[in-house]
């Protein structure tokens, strides 16, 4: 799967987007969690991209502080 993760800070402000491949949704959620945590942000919205410019939201990942 082609995954997009939009990462937000604790005030719900968009901070960055990361794209990466993942074999499963669980793998995508784990990777999004690590990415958000690595840059010190609070959560990520995980999307599965359709390869034609569209994406479907698949999960919200919160980082424990």
């Amino acid at each position: 799967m082609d995954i997009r993760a939009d990462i937000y800070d604790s005030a719900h402000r968009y901070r960055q987007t990361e794209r990466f491949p993942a074999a499963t949704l669980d793998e995508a959620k784990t990777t999004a969690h690590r990415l958000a945590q690595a840059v010190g942000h609070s959560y990520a919205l995980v999307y599965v991209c359709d390869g034609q410019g569209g994406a479907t939201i698949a999960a919200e990942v919160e980082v424990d502080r």
Side-chain angles (χ1 to χ4, degrees), residues 29-53:
K29 289 167 49 177
T30 299
T31 301
H33 184 276
R34 287 184 193 147
L35 289 168
Q37 189 173 43
V39 294
H41 293 313
S42 296
Y43 70 95
L45 294 177
V46 178
Y47 298 84
V48 177
C49 302
D50 66 10
Q52 299 176 8

Side-chain angles (χ1 to χ4, degrees), residues 2-61:
D2 181 24
I3 302 296
R4 183 182 93 212
D6 292 343
I7 298 172
Y8 297 82
D9 66 15
S10 61
H12 299 245
R13 292 180 300 230
Y14 167 79
R15 290 299 174 200
Q16 69 190 64
T17 296
E18 297 290 337
R19 291 201 61 163
F20 53 91
T24 66
L25 182 55
D26 284 339
E27 180 183 337
K29 289 167 49 177
T30 299
T31 301
H33 184 276
R34 287 184 193 147
L35 289 168
Q37 189 173 43
V39 294
H41 293 313
S42 296
Y43 70 95
L45 294 177
V46 178
Y47 298 84
V48 177
C49 302
D50 66 10
Q52 299 176 8
T56 302
I57 190 165
E60 181 176 352
V61 178

